[in-house]
Amino acid sequence: MTQQLTDKYGRNIEYLRLSVTDRCDLRCSYCMPKGFKDFGEPKDWLTFDEIERVIRIFGELGTKRIRLTGGEPLVRKNLPELATRLAKLPGIEDLSLSSNATQLKKQAVPLKQAGITRINVSLDTLRADRFKEITGGGKIEKVIDGLIAAKEAGFQPVKINMVAMRGVNDDEVEDMVEFCIKHDFTLRFIEAMPMGDTGREANKQYIPLSEIHDRLAKKYTLTKANMNGGGPARYVRVDDTELRIGFITPISQHFCDTCNRVRLSVDGTLYLCLGQDDSYPLRELMRAGITDDELKEHIQKAIDLKPEKHEFSEQPGKLVRFMSMTGG
Ligand code: SAM
Ligand code: SF4
């Protein structure tokens, strides 16, 4: 019988976000400090064998969904090989990927063949100069090529994540809606969270997404919709189109009471909440030769540490860690 991971607030943990690298080829303003290079050492990265083992154990403990993330997951060498190994593990029903898409043109087909079903792509603007500015020098053409390649490879849905920031990209909300209607992408708006100094700066420009919803409702007819994926987004459908728009509101309307996820960073640390420091190091335990049963006990102990909720609004200065370190 499959076991279950339950935290002390009665939440079933069945979703793991797995960071396969803390590195990235972009420096998004809200995520990583400009010019940041202080990355973890390769010797501290979980190897593919270690990742496969820990995910197998999570699968035996009832985890059904895995999302590969980072940093930028596509900068980890041989990602399709890892995805192939994870997709085969018993209990893992859904393997998805978050990417900035700069390298997706080349990798979309191998990743699809490896068993990844769904892809989320970060894209905050459609303007090349603005993209360069927000991402610290990125080229938007690569992302657009990557998005098209993902669609052609058969990923369905392809979701675009846009962090909405006042005075930065809020004038592009309608353009992004039209872009997603035209290309059959799903669109999700995200509120900027105060993670690290970079996130805190962006959080100052945060827009409560009800404002964007109301603005769109003046131009389009929106009806409530459902979307598979196990995430916290609330969706609407734009009438007379296939477009669904999701609103992810960690700041204005948090969803901690239904949180079903934890995050494993590339160095094997389990983070119990995006917005809190509670963590549990698994790598050295695994390298010291603990058995699978012992690993299961440690994972349950870690889950017992999962806090009730984040405190982004009450204590915005709390988190030193920025997003790419945990795995967004
Ligand atoms: N590199 C990949 C990407 O950009 O999709 C995966 C990792 S990235 C850290 C995952 C998600 O975190 C992205 O959608 C990004 O927009 C979001 N993110 C990063 N920092 C954030 C912040 N301070 N507030 C809200 N979202 C943030
Ligand atoms: Fe890289 Fe993604 Fe962070 Fe942007 S949001 S810097 S693409 S990890």
Side-chain angles (χ1 to χ4, degrees), residues 242-278:
E242 291 301 312
L243 178 65
R244 289 192 183 108
I245 304 177
F247 299 88
I248 304 181
T249 57
I251 310 296
S252 65
Q253 215 181 343
H254 75 71
F255 30 79
C256 302
D257 51 342
T258 56
C259 183
N260 62 351
R261 65 192 59 194
V262 290
R263 293 173 163 84
L264 185 64
S265 66
V266 65
D267 67 0
T269 306
L270 201 57
Y271 286 94
L272 287 316
C273 171
L274 195 55
Q276 299 280 11
D277 287 322
D278 307 80

Side-chain angles (χ1 to χ4, degrees), residues 38-314:
D38 193 13
F39 297 108
E41 296 285 324
K43 68 173 175 40
D44 294 335
W45 301 347
L46 293 188
T47 63
F48 283 5
D49 285 347
E50 287 168 332
I51 292 176
E52 187 178 2
R53 178 179 181 211
V54 73
I55 299 301
R56 175 174 55 76
I57 296 293
F58 266 98
E60 288 173 14
L61 290 169
T63 298
K64 297 190 179 69
R65 300 165 193 267
I66 304 288
R67 175 170 291 274
L68 305 179
T69 182
E72 172 47 38
L74 299 196
V75 307
R76 178 95 188 230
K77 278 205 186 101
N78 302 325
L79 189 69
E81 180 200 326
L82 177 67
T84 305
R85 290 168 68 169
L86 301 184
K88 286 188 191 137
L89 292 173
I92 305 304
E93 294 169 4
D94 183 53
L95 183 64
S96 58
L97 173 78
S98 286
S99 170
N100 64 25
T102 57
Q103 299 186 36
L104 205 49
K105 186 176 178 188
K106 255 200 235 146
Q107 298 217 44
V109 169
L111 287 167
K112 183 79 175 62
Q113 285 166 348
I116 288 182
T117 45
R118 299 179 297 115
I119 290 201
N120 290 357
V121 171
S122 290
L123 183 62
D124 303 315
T125 175
L126 294 168
R127 301 188 194 169
D129 52 342
R130 198 176 266 180
F131 184 82
K132 204 168 187 178
E133 174 123 9
I134 294 176
T135 60
K139 293 198 171 83
I140 197 168
E141 308 81 61
K142 286 190 183 175
V143 177
I144 304 293
D145 287 352
L147 279 165
I148 304 290
K151 217 172 79 175
E152 285 174 1
F155 287 102
Q156 181 62 27
V158 175
K159 294 180 184 164
I160 291 185
N161 286 340
M162 176 177 182
V163 178
M165 293 168 285
R166 205 180 298 285
V168 176
N169 62 354
D170 54 335
D171 55 342
E172 286 190 70
V173 164
E174 288 81 2
D175 290 352
M176 197 62 94
V177 167
E178 293 299 325
F179 176 77
C180 290
I181 291 174
K182 181 170 163 208
H183 292 284
D184 192 22
F185 299 134
T186 297
L187 176 59
R188 293 154 17 123
F189 296 104
I190 305 180
E191 293 175 348
M193 292 175 270
M195 300 193 61
D197 289 341
T198 48
R200 262 184 287 285
E201 272 312 301
N203 181 248
K204 289 181 189 154
Q205 296 148 330
Y206 124 88
I207 307 176
L209 294 181
S210 54
E211 193 179 310
I212 291 193
H213 175 279
D214 294 351
R215 180 167 137 193
L216 290 175
K218 286 189 186 134
K219 179 162 178 190
Y220 305 96
T221 306
L222 307 177
T223 28
K224 272 200 177 140
N226 287 323
M227 185 102 197
N228 291 336
R234 278 178 275 261
Y235 282 94
V236 295
R237 180 195 278 278
V238 177
D239 271 18
D240 302 322
T241 77
E242 291 301 312
L243 178 65
R244 289 192 183 108
I245 304 177
F247 299 88
I248 304 181
T249 57
I251 310 296
S252 65
Q253 215 181 343
H254 75 71
F255 30 79
C256 302
D257 51 342
T258 56
C259 183
N260 62 351
R261 65 192 59 194
V262 290
R263 293 173 163 84
L264 185 64
S265 66
V266 65
D267 67 0
T269 306
L270 201 57
Y271 286 94
L272 287 316
C273 171
L274 195 55
Q276 299 280 11
D277 287 322
D278 307 80
S279 66
Y280 201 100
L282 294 177
R283 185 192 68 233
E284 288 313 323
L285 293 168
M286 288 166 68
R287 290 190 181 169
I290 57 170
T291 64
D292 285 356
D293 281 344
E294 285 166 340
L295 182 52
K296 281 183 187 166
E297 280 167 27
H298 282 290
I299 290 173
Q300 182 58 63
K301 268 194 208 161
I303 299 296
D304 290 343
L305 299 176
K306 188 169 167 63
E308 186 180 8
K309 59 186 177 68
H310 68 66
E311 294 167 304
F312 285 139
S313 299
E314 301 86 330

Side-chain angles (χ1 to χ4, degrees), residues 24 26-28 30-32 70-72 100 122 324:
C24 186
L26 299 180
R27 293 288 179 278
C28 297
Y30 44 78
C31 180
M32 246 196 242
E72 172 47 38
N100 64 25
S122 290
S324 65

